[in-house]
Amino acid sequence: MARYLHGHAPSVLASHTVRTAENSCGHLLPHLREGMRVLDVGCGPATITLDLAELVGPSGQVTGLELLEETLELGRAEAARRGDERTRFEAGDVMALPYADGSFDVVHAHQVLQHLTDPVAALREMWRVLAPGGVLAVRDADYAEMSWHPQPRELDRWRELYLAIARANEATPDAARHLRAWARAAGLENIELGASTWAYADEETCSWWGNLWQKRALTSRFTEEVLERELASQQELEEISSAWQAWGSDADAMFIMTHGELLAFRPTV
Ligand SMILES: C[S@@+](CC[C@H](N)C(=O)[O-])C[C@H]1O[C@@H](n2cnc3c(N)ncnc32)[C@H](O)[C@@H]1O
């Protein structure tokens, strides 16, 4: 299993906790019905998970799954904040899900496959726990395709370092473009693919994204991996951090993040 590159430092969570079902799994929403049993694999801080719980209503049942018990505390805290006492948070590995075949009507994963060494086996496992008539939904990013302006050399270097670490961990940072191949290799059926973006293109979101990476460059698992692998010096990380800050306060700044989207519908018989 690949080492989860981002980690759960506050600077990382700042980017994950703004996620909603609407901005992160719009492709799944038309297929949700009240009463569905939903599994959200790699749920992280669970803002998407808990939105899904609202959408399937009180007759539905949502489970957020995370690798480590300590990460589940993030989801439990967000559930308590929202007054959601129904959603379950359980520890487990997507490579060996602790559920019987056909246990869920929806199996969802947002930005998880890009971190795994064997995403095809993960999809097979997600498909196994999907009930006949159910839908599997995945959305994953493509770091190599992210684009931004202005484009100082320090931010190109940031991407170069990110890609190098992810690949050294045998993960796939350009996961989006692989979704069709992975789905076919995993034997999924009734596949639909698409793409969508997040765009940061106003003062508020650019400043938020720039400040966040200003911190993440110096205080997250990314920082540790760069230094441990001696890919760059502390000095270079500080230059990258400052470049992010400057980018975020540039009135012309814009950042576009491409995602691939996969739906697969399990036949009813
Ligand atoms: C980029 S975060 C996405 C979190 C959440 N889905 C979201 O979009 O807000 C990826 C998550 O996958 C989890 N993860 C990584 N490998 C996993 C595995 N083998 N099984 C379960 N979860 C895993 C990480 O702990 C992390 O919380």
Side-chain angles (χ1 to χ4, degrees):
M1 176 201 319
R3 185 174 173 191
Y4 175 49
L5 162 56
H6 293 310
H8 295 97
S11 57
V12 175
L13 292 175
S15 70
H16 294 175
T17 50
V18 297
R19 297 177 183 177
T20 64
E22 198 181 341
N23 70 26
S24 302
C25 58
H27 63 310
L28 168 64
L29 301 190
H31 305 286
L32 291 180
R33 303 279 174 270
E34 292 218 351
M36 279 178 149
R37 298 161 296 166
V38 179
L39 175 65
D40 190 19
V41 168
C43 64
T47 53
I48 302 171
T49 323
L50 292 160
D51 282 0
L52 294 176
E54 277 179 38
L55 291 165
V56 298
S59 58
Q61 179 62 63
V62 175
T63 303
L65 179 116
E66 262 296 333
L67 205 47
L68 301 177
E69 192 60 43
E70 67 209 45
T71 313
L72 291 169
E73 289 310 321
L74 301 169
R76 291 188 182 121
E78 179 62 14
R81 197 185 67 75
R82 295 187 187 201
D84 177 329
E85 294 179 354
R86 288 185 45 76
T87 299
R88 296 178 188 145
F89 291 96
E90 295 175 348
D93 186 346
V94 65
M95 307 312 297
L97 290 168
Y99 307 109
D101 296 359
S103 298
F104 298 94
D105 305 304
V106 177
V107 181
H108 171 255
H110 184 255
Q111 289 196 359
V112 177
L113 296 190
Q114 63 182 290
H115 298 292
L116 307 176
T117 52
D118 193 348
V120 171
L123 281 175
R124 256 189 230 115
E125 189 58 359
M126 291 167 68
W127 189 247
R128 178 185 69 76
V129 301
L130 191 64
V135 57
L136 177 150
V138 163
R139 183 170 185 260
D140 239 298
D142 194 321
Y143 270 76
E145 270 304 310
M146 290 176 190
S147 60
W148 56 83
H149 174 85
Q151 195 167 355
R153 66 173 172 74
E154 292 87 351
L155 296 199
D156 285 339
R157 181 72 175 130
W158 162 76
R159 171 160 47 199
E160 202 176 282
L161 290 171
Y162 184 91
L163 294 176
I165 298 167
R167 290 187 177 128
N169 282 337
E170 296 175 46
T172 315
D174 55 355
R177 69 186 73 179
H178 295 272
L179 290 180
R180 186 176 183 198
W182 290 346
R184 282 166 41 79
L188 271 47
E189 295 170 78
N190 306 313
I191 296 167
E192 290 178 11
L193 289 138
S196 64
T197 57
W198 284 338
Y200 307 136
D202 58 33
E203 194 179 326
E204 191 188 341
T205 52
C206 289
S207 153
W208 163 77
W209 188 238
N211 284 333
L212 184 149
W213 268 106
Q214 181 216 355
K215 295 192 189 74
R216 258 171 100 163
L218 295 176
T219 60
S220 69
R221 177 69 64 72
F222 169 84
T223 326
E224 289 166 24
E225 293 250 2
V226 167
L227 295 176
E228 272 170 29
R229 294 177 188 279
E230 299 182 354
L231 295 171
S233 63
Q234 178 71 30
Q235 164 75 21
E236 195 175 5
L237 286 177
E238 278 165 24
E239 286 164 12
I240 290 171
S241 172
S242 302
W244 270 114
Q245 169 86 68
W247 178 88
S249 51
D250 191 311
D252 293 331
M254 185 157 175
F255 191 102
I256 299 168
M257 196 184 299
T258 307
H259 290 83
E261 294 177 342
L262 162 68
L263 292 174
F265 299 88
R266 186 153 199 141
T268 43
V269 282

